[in-house]
Amino acid sequence: MAGAEGDDSLYPIAVLIDELRNEDVQLRLNSIKKLSTIALALGVERTRTELLPFLTDTIYDEDEVLLALAEQLGSFTVLVGGPEYVHCLLPPLESLATVEETVVRDKAVESLRKISQEHSPVDLEVHFEPLVKRLACGDWFTSRTSACGLFSVCYPRVSSTVKAEIRQHFRTLCSDDTPMVRRAAASKLGEFAKVLELDYVKSDIIPLFTALASDEQDSVRLLAVEACVSIATLLPQEDLEALVMPTLRQAAEDKSWRVRYMVADKFSELQKAVGPEITKNDLVPAFQNLLKDCEAEVRAAAANKVKEFCENLPEDSRETIIMTHVLPCVKELVSDTNQHVKSALASVIMGLSTILGKDNTVEHLLPLFLAQLKDECPEVRLNIISNLDCVNEVIGIRQLSQSLLPAIVELAEDAKWRVRLAIIEYMPLLAGQLGVEFFDEKLNSLCMAWLVDHVYAIREAATCNLMKLVEKFGAEWAQNTIVPKVLSMSNDPNYLHRMTTLFCINALSEVCGQEITTKHMLPVVLKMASDQVANVRFNVAKCLQKIGPVLDSSALQAEVKPVLEILATDQDMDVKYFAQEAISVLTLA
Amino acid sequence: MICAGGGANDVQWCFSQVKGAIDDDVAEADIISTVEFNHSGELLATGDKGGRVVIFQQDTENKSLPQCRSEYNVYSTFQSHEPEFDYLKSLEIEEKINKIRWLPQKNAAQFLLSTNDKTIKLWKISERDKRPEGYNLKEEDGRCRDSTTITTLRVPVFRPMDLMVEASPRRVFANAHTYHINSISVNSDNETYLSADDLRVNLWHLEITDRSFNIVDIKPANMEELTEVITAAEFHPHQCNTFVYSSSKGTIRMCDMRASALCDKHSKLFEEPEDPSNRSFFSEIISSISDVKFSHSGRYMMTRDYLSVKIWDLNMENRPVETYQVHEYLRSKLCSLYENDCIFDKFECCWNGNDSVVMTGSYNNFFRMLERTQRRDITLEASRESSKARQVLKPRRVCAGGKRKKDEISVDSLDFNKKILHTAWHPQENIIAVATTNNLYIFQEKVN
């Protein structure tokens, strides 16, 4: 199509092509992102013969450009002439698959996997598979790591001789000299196992799995744990004991805490993969050990899985196992020396109540909740409070409220403002659980106290909290309990508190509705227009702009407009500015 | 192929090259602060006080000619670090390169880590021999082309060009050290490395710059209780979980990262009981370890303190298997060395390719080769007087008191301003790089 239509249509494309090699990275990146436009203008033939060779050589570029290029090429098939020519995309992607930057390599592999599906079975063997082999035998580990991710996509679609070669290549990479390649192979082991015939899984994958799981490098061994999950799902139950379990047991007791951490982290997946019988016999003791591990990181990872593990236990023996095996360990963790362990436990422990039912919860779990509510570390207490809903369903929150209240009060007054901020965020939830009476009685004063906190972020969160409370308890409750208190702050000698009144009105006007806003809030706002502090005055202007839509037009014309007009002639520049803005937004001019 | 197995004394060392300015007026920025061969020995990097890194490449064209095989030529020079100012602490941060470590080669490009007191950087050194040609809207020289004359689109093509070597910063690992970084070391897993300052050791992932894990922290709650600092740290060459760090008290702690996330508890403590007869005011200062290096085999480690080099078997903690005196004659001079601050000089040390010889520096531009199996040693000098091509280096002797023999140099005439702190040994061949103040000497085995 080039040439025929004349210069005008070519110009933008010419710019795009020239910018492929502009000095400015951003322009190159823009051009690469519009690569399909360039290819379309060049036509399929020139794209294949000119553009792709150029792109193959551009691997000197910045990572972000290469990343964009690798991504583009994954959906370029149509632009080179369809599946028949898809193999033309292999050279540029091959060179991108050898760069040192992991993100770029991974993206190139992802695109290669994508376009492998568009190869015909013949092309796959003629073009794609040789590329995989070249990468697998490359001098540099970057290319060999990339090869690891490509075996599984071509294996199902090639002849049995080529299949045998692929298996051989994979075996070689699993025992590569460099740990990076072994890591890449270990991380793709599960995926590759999935596409292999079951016999080969047993004869090929299991020995590789066993070898990688006892690699000298910790970083390789821990990846074998992940592979364990996929391999275990593929094998029939009767083979698991002999083929997988020895390795898994070994990993759970590995000398390196990082490997044990991985086992703890993947515990739920492992549990599902090996099934109920092995879980009962093997995983329960393993889990106990992980909960008692000498390394805090491992205990924390295991503690995180307590709820999920218990949930997935076979129903017939669930309660017995929890009560006799898990709970004793959990009890110890409640007084762990490490706060991360305790806080990990606190984030899931409440979930046990639904599994164990009311009686057990009251008898066994409640003391633990209460102990954690009194923990010295605020994060632990916060995690308990944030999950109160689980307990509420089972035993009702009243059981806890006696201990809850001091815990909340203490957090609400914590010296660290981030802790105070966190507890504010749970207030609407707590209010919902505890009900309006309890709230009015015990918590309302806290919520109001936050409005005059000396940290702005807390005051801001407190205003937002009020809005959420009103959404829960309704406008009438607002009018009786919080609006008077908020409005009384407009006379506070501290201008920051006076501004808080305005911020609260901003947040509350909509949920409180027109009547309360017009009757109670508006007069206060208008009165504050004559405040001596300019910051208050321009916030009045902003506030009026905000609540304007809630008011009816008569109030706007009769009350708001005159005040804004006065403010628009204020001495202070900012006050003027915001007043004028409000006038124009509310179309009062 | 030259057999690296020969002992130091079987090898005759001869001059090969000297790099750097010849005049005696030394600019502070030109002082070499670190020297390091890459894993193949093909590249040699130096860092200096001016924050620059200079990389030399072994001449491959003449490799067939044995006498020229160790010619190293400048391959790339770049500014790695710039002077900075920490506004929060009102501290100047020098640009001086404290350490350089090469990464194992992963693709056609080469990578190295360089660090000053605070910030570690990962550099990529790559070659480019092609450049794109052909624009649509302008000529190659930049002149605009009339856009109305475009009748067809041009796709640029890559054409060969003269080889260009580029150094580009790939990662900056900053803000993790409160004190001065003294060591960096790449793990054998090739994805992590450690960095050590006076009180802490941090573990980094090579691809992640925004977090590092603190694995050793010896900072006491009360800084007045501080009695020792970390002076050097290194990963084991093969065991990814093992690293050591040395202290100013002359001890070396070995830690196992498998045991726990925080390695405050060491798994082994290497320490030699002090000889009471040698005890003096300076004992503690001179026992401070200035460098620790694992042997290539991973079986031994070498430590350098002010007066000696010790070789430890990793399986024996209570005393070193070998101890070599580097310049014992200075023991009587410690008082004046204390006064001129020389006693705080941090000498480094290195192994040869097959761990049979170790090398370390001394004063007066002398450096020492210590041959292990035969317990023999030799003192050589890096000087311009003997810098004629292929000139054999003569052994030097220092008169340790008594009557001075011919060819001996008296202790009093040693120049303490000329010190060799940094040396490096080619990983396979008998080629060494020795940094005098601002010159880099390259010596090689004499080939007949």
Side-chain angles (χ1 to χ4, degrees):
Chain A
M1 77 189 255
E5 286 107 310
D7 313 331
D8 288 354
S9 66
L10 286 183
Y11 183 75
I13 308 290
V15 172
L16 274 183
I17 294 179
D18 284 0
E19 284 183 350
L20 280 174
R21 42 178 297 211
N22 196 292
E23 304 225 320
D24 184 345
V25 184
Q26 200 51 49
L27 291 177
R28 291 206 300 277
L29 191 59
N30 288 344
S31 249
I32 286 284
K33 286 188 172 156
K34 290 182 187 137
L35 210 53
S36 52
T37 314
I38 298 177
L40 210 57
L42 288 171
V44 292
E45 170 119 30
R46 291 192 70 195
T47 299
R48 291 197 299 266
T49 55
E50 294 178 46
L51 185 61
L52 288 179
F54 170 74
L55 295 173
T56 307
D57 278 333
T58 34
I59 54 163
Y60 301 108
D61 214 323
E62 304 283 331
D63 305 332
E64 46 186 330
V65 177
L66 297 183
L67 183 66
L69 176 59
E71 187 171 6
Q72 292 279 313
L73 292 175
S75 43
F76 232 60
T77 312
V78 186
L79 298 162
V80 293
E84 203 181 325
Y85 294 100
V86 65
H87 59 84
C88 299
L89 297 172
L90 297 180
L93 283 170
E94 181 175 355
S95 61
L96 288 169
T98 63
V99 301
E100 70 280 356
E101 208 56 50
T102 316
V103 278
V104 177
R105 237 165 39 225
D106 288 351
K107 187 57 87 179
V109 169
E110 194 186 313
S111 288
L112 280 169
R113 288 167 70 113
K114 206 167 151 193
I115 64 167
S116 74
Q117 305 305 327
E118 286 158 332
H119 281 70
S120 68
V122 177
D123 280 350
L124 202 68
E125 285 199 18
V126 177
H127 298 289
F128 197 86
E129 209 271 333
L131 162 119
V132 177
K133 273 189 211 162
R134 276 199 301 282
L135 288 173
C137 304
D139 283 342
W140 308 118
F141 85 78
T142 47
S143 83
R144 301 200 298 278
T145 50
S146 292
C148 293
L150 296 174
F151 294 121
S152 63
V153 288
C154 40
Y155 189 83
R157 298 179 59 213
V158 291
S159 67
S160 55
T161 19
V162 180
K163 278 184 175 173
E165 281 173 39
I166 291 180
R167 289 195 303 273
Q168 181 53 44
H169 281 299
F170 194 80
R171 267 199 296 277
T172 314
L173 293 180
C174 282
S175 54
D176 195 276
D177 283 344
T178 61
M180 286 77 98
V181 178
R182 297 203 301 278
R183 276 198 293 277
S187 67
K188 301 292 177 195
L189 188 65
E191 176 191 290
F192 189 52
K194 279 186 192 150
V195 297
L196 246 59
E197 299 79 358
L198 185 59
D199 283 345
Y200 288 122
V201 172
K202 289 186 198 170
S203 66
D204 279 37
I205 296 290
I206 296 295
L208 295 175
F209 167 62
T210 317
L212 290 168
S214 46
D215 196 279
E216 55 170 19
Q217 293 275 343
D218 302 358
S219 54
V220 178
R221 291 205 302 280
L222 62 88
L223 289 171
V225 175
E226 261 184 298
C228 188
V229 177
S230 339
I231 293 173
T233 11
L234 294 173
L235 292 175
Q237 189 70 29
E238 64 269 22
D239 287 329
L240 283 177
E241 179 53 45
L243 299 179
V244 175
M245 287 316 290
T247 309
L248 181 55
R249 279 187 209 115
Q250 177 196 318
E253 288 168 4
D254 197 282
K255 206 172 172 199
S256 169
W257 68 270
R258 288 165 68 198
V259 178
R260 300 196 305 273
Y261 173 90
M262 203 63 172
V263 175
D265 197 46
K266 300 277 163 216
F267 216 81
S268 307
E269 288 95 325
L270 287 167
Q271 187 185 4
K272 281 178 203 150
V274 298
E277 275 313 303
I278 296 181
T279 298
K280 267 193 259 179
N281 301 332
D282 272 280
L283 293 196
V284 172
F287 194 63
Q288 282 176 291
N289 286 338
L290 292 171
L291 287 173
K292 289 186 220 156
D293 199 278
C294 57
E295 171 57 45
E297 299 278 347
V298 179
R299 291 200 302 278
N304 256 322
K305 300 288 166 186
V306 164
K307 182 192 159 205
E308 247 181 293
F309 178 73
C310 294
E311 257 173 2
N312 295 332
L313 285 169
E315 228 165 292
D316 53 348
S317 51
R318 184 188 292 157
E319 194 173 318
T320 339
I321 294 176
I322 298 178
M323 297 307 291
T324 53
H325 298 292
V326 181
L327 211 54
C329 301
V330 168
K331 276 181 186 156
E332 280 175 42
L333 290 184
V334 167
S335 49
D336 199 278
T337 48
N338 185 295
Q339 68 173 60
H340 298 292
V341 177
K342 287 187 290 188
S343 90
L345 181 69
S347 65
V348 295
I349 191 174
M350 312 289 270
L352 291 180
S353 49
T354 32
I355 305 171
L356 286 177
K358 186 170 177 180
D359 293 341
N360 279 328
T361 302
V362 173
E363 195 184 335
H364 298 284
L365 291 177
L366 199 56
L368 304 181
F369 299 159
L370 296 177
Q372 291 216 297
L373 266 179
K374 294 189 188 93
D375 198 277
E376 57 184 3
C377 163
E379 207 185 323
V380 176
R381 284 173 269 153
L382 272 175
N383 280 348
I384 289 287
I385 291 172
S386 63
N387 287 298
L388 280 176
D389 42 345
C390 319
V391 195
N392 199 15
E393 289 160 18
V394 183
I395 57 168
I397 211 160
R398 292 283 164 176
Q399 295 265 14
L400 273 175
S401 55
Q402 282 313 308
S403 310
L404 202 51
L405 199 63
I408 295 173
V409 172
E410 206 178 311
L411 288 169
E413 288 162 359
D414 197 282
K416 295 198 184 73
W417 68 266
R418 286 176 205 279
V419 175
R420 301 200 296 276
L421 186 64
I423 187 74
I424 294 177
E425 278 160 13
Y426 293 120
M427 268 300 157
L429 177 83
L430 282 170
Q433 308 273 333
L434 293 165
V436 66
E437 277 168 46
F438 188 91
F439 184 86
D440 280 347
E441 201 180 312
K442 316 276 188 189
L443 299 179
N444 195 12
S445 55
L446 284 179
C447 293
M448 301 318 287
W450 283 320
L451 287 175
V452 294
D453 197 283
H454 59 271
V455 175
Y456 176 75
I458 299 296
R459 298 198 299 274
E460 191 189 25
T463 29
C464 185
N465 174 45
L466 287 187
M467 182 181 78
K468 287 183 188 151
L469 289 173
V470 175
E471 278 171 359
K472 266 214 162 75
F473 295 151
E476 198 186 329
W477 173 83
Q479 193 187 341
N480 294 330
T481 48
I482 60 170
V483 172
K485 289 185 194 170
V486 166
L487 296 182
S488 70
M489 279 164 57
S490 66
N491 297 320
D492 197 290
N494 186 334
Y495 86 98
L496 291 172
H497 298 170
R498 298 202 295 279
M499 291 215 298
T500 305
T501 299
L502 293 171
F503 297 146
C504 286
I505 291 173
N506 286 343
L508 292 175
S509 65
E510 203 177 289
V511 279
C512 286
Q514 194 184 57
E515 200 196 321
I516 298 177
T517 308
T518 318
K519 255 198 198 153
H520 301 279
M521 297 178 180
L522 184 60
V524 175
V525 178
L526 296 174
K527 203 181 92 197
M528 290 170 83
S530 53
D531 199 288
Q532 58 189 351
V533 176
N535 289 37
V536 176
R537 293 201 302 279
F538 77 66
N539 272 298
V540 166
K542 282 164 95 173
C543 181
L544 289 171
Q545 178 183 332
K546 175 92 195 187
I547 66 172
V550 185
L551 306 169
D552 63 16
S553 60
S554 66
L556 276 175
Q557 289 296 333
E559 303 183 62
V560 175
K561 191 179 171 186
V563 171
L564 282 176
E565 277 166 352
I566 295 169
L567 289 175
T569 59
D570 200 280
Q571 292 172 326
D572 188 275
M573 228 170 58
D574 294 320
V575 180
K576 256 195 235 175
Y577 172 81
F578 286 109
Q580 277 158 0
E581 190 183 75
I583 290 173
S584 82
V585 169
L586 297 173
T587 57
L588 295 173
Chain B
M1 181 67 208
I2 288 79
C3 174
N9 295 358
D10 307 332
V11 175
Q12 286 214 303
W13 290 95
C14 63
F15 173 84
S16 171
Q17 285 172 291
V18 58
K19 308 283 183 187
I22 305 295
D23 52 3
D24 285 326
D25 199 13
V26 179
E28 177 80 7
D30 292 336
I31 297 175
I32 296 173
S33 53
T34 182
V35 182
E36 189 81 9
F37 278 102
N38 76 340
H39 297 271
S40 68
E42 189 207 350
L43 299 175
L44 171 63
T46 63
D48 65 27
K49 282 199 168 176
R52 285 162 305 196
V53 170
V54 182
I55 297 168
F56 302 94
Q57 185 186 37
Q58 196 168 20
D59 201 339
T60 43
E61 282 170 31
N62 291 329
K63 219 173 174 178
S64 49
L65 303 168
Q67 67 275 21
C68 295
R69 80 196 141 82
S70 63
E71 291 270 306
Y72 280 79
N73 297 316
V74 175
Y75 180 63
S76 173
T77 304
F78 58 94
Q79 188 75 34
S80 170
H81 287 72
E82 301 276 357
E84 285 175 87
F85 191 77
D86 182 339
Y87 294 95
L88 290 176
K89 301 204 179 95
S90 286
L91 281 178
E92 277 183 60
I93 302 169
E94 278 183 82
E95 65 274 34
K96 178 188 156 215
I97 308 294
N98 290 343
K99 282 283 182 312
I100 289 175
R101 287 289 177 268
W102 291 91
L103 269 56
Q105 199 168 3
K106 52 175 100 175
N107 63 2
Q110 296 275 356
F111 291 82
L112 63 79
L113 289 169
S114 63
T115 185
N116 67 352
D117 286 340
K118 298 286 175 190
T119 306
I120 305 151
K121 294 184 181 178
L122 175 68
W123 290 88
K124 173 184 179 180
I125 296 103
S126 56
E127 294 182 356
R128 180 184 290 208
D129 56 3
K130 286 179 191 168
R131 65 189 176 88
E133 264 178 27
Y135 284 107
N136 285 294
L137 301 172
K138 58 182 175 185
E139 304 295 336
E140 213 45 45
D141 56 18
R143 273 179 300 129
C144 282
R145 202 179 282 162
D146 184 0
S147 65
T148 53
T149 64
I150 301 172
T151 52
T152 175
L153 292 170
R154 253 177 98 182
V155 178
V157 274
F158 274 92
R159 302 254 183 249
M161 63 164 187
D162 290 343
L163 184 72
M164 201 167 91
V165 181
E166 289 176 321
S168 48
R170 305 298 289 187
R171 303 263 192 280
V172 177
F173 306 90
N175 304 323
H177 284 280
T178 315
Y179 305 96
H180 289 183
I181 298 173
N182 53 46
S183 311
I184 44 178
S185 173
V186 181
N187 192 308
S188 61
D189 68 9
N190 289 4
E191 67 174 359
T192 54
Y193 75 91
L194 66 74
S195 59
D197 68 23
D198 297 341
L199 296 178
R200 298 190 179 103
V201 180
N202 290 335
L203 181 70
W204 301 84
H205 192 287
L206 279 163
E207 297 194 351
I208 299 168
T209 56
D210 61 357
R211 61 175 177 271
S212 69
F213 297 96
N214 178 242
I215 50 176
V216 175
D217 187 348
I218 63 163
K219 186 179 174 185
N222 177 2
M223 277 298 263
E224 281 168 18
E225 290 161 17
L226 185 72
T227 56
E228 64 180 325
V229 294
I230 298 169
T231 53
E234 194 180 45
F235 267 121
H236 189 279
H238 317 303
Q239 292 166 14
C240 61
N241 48 275
T242 307
F243 70 95
V244 294
Y245 65 93
S246 60
S247 91
S248 55
K249 277 190 164 170
T251 58
I252 308 105
R253 289 180 177 82
M254 178 181 274
C255 301
D256 185 347
M257 297 202 297
R258 291 175 300 186
S260 67
L262 194 63
C263 299
D264 279 351
K265 292 192 204 84
H266 54 262
S267 58
K268 286 183 180 180
L269 175 68
F270 297 86
E271 186 174 25
E272 186 173 33
E274 196 184 7
D275 177 2
S277 64
N278 268 338
R279 200 184 184 91
S280 74
F281 172 72
F282 304 107
S283 295
E284 191 164 328
I285 302 175
I286 62 168
S287 65
S288 175
I289 292 173
S290 52
D291 197 15
V292 53
K293 291 266 170 62
F294 279 104
S295 63
H296 294 86
S297 67
R299 168 83 191 269
Y300 302 100
M301 68 179 167
M302 158 168 59
T303 56
R304 170 74 209 258
D305 54 44
Y306 191 60
L307 293 179
S308 67
V309 163
K310 290 173 184 163
I311 291 174
W312 306 77
D313 187 321
L314 297 190
N315 300 315
M316 187 162 80
E317 297 165 57
N318 58 353
R319 63 186 162 84
V321 285
E322 293 155 37
T323 301
Y324 300 94
Q325 301 307 330
V326 177
H327 36 216
E328 185 63 17
Y329 44 79
L330 296 181
R331 197 176 281 280
S332 57
K333 301 278 166 201
L334 291 176
C335 205
S336 51
L337 290 166
Y338 180 75
E339 277 162 13
N340 63 12
D341 274 351
C342 280
I343 202 166
F344 301 106
D345 282 335
K346 297 190 81 179
F347 290 97
E348 292 172 8
C349 51
C350 63
W351 299 84
N352 74 337
N354 64 358
D355 302 334
S356 61
V357 187
V358 297
M359 171 171 59
T360 190
S362 176
Y363 293 103
N364 206 46
N365 278 354
F366 287 173
F367 58 97
R368 303 266 291 150
M369 296 265 189
L370 313 163
E371 208 271 336
R372 294 182 57 210
T373 46
Q374 293 156 45
R375 301 285 179 119
R376 282 188 298 189
D377 60 80
I378 187 171
T379 305
L380 299 171
E381 182 182 4
S383 78
R384 245 175 257 128
E385 284 74 55
S386 51
S387 59
K388 281 201 269 317
R390 294 194 287 288
Q391 182 178 349
V392 175
L393 298 186
K394 280 205 203 90
R396 305 284 174 182
R397 276 183 197 84
V398 178
C399 167
K403 207 173 161 213
R404 190 164 70 92
K405 296 189 204 100
K406 191 173 169 271
D407 287 348
E408 280 191 345
I409 301 126
S410 95
V411 178
D412 295 319
S413 61
L414 293 176
D415 185 344
F416 290 104
N417 289 319
K418 291 181 174 171
K419 45 191 122 186
I420 291 178
L421 301 176
H422 316 284
T423 60
W425 204 309
H426 188 290
Q428 285 97 35
E429 297 174 38
N430 274 334
I431 298 172
I432 55 172
V434 174
T436 62
T437 315
N438 64 332
N439 289 118
L440 181 71
Y441 285 84
I442 296 170
F443 303 107
Q444 59 167 312
E445 183 181 20
K446 184 175 169 63
V447 183
N448 298 315

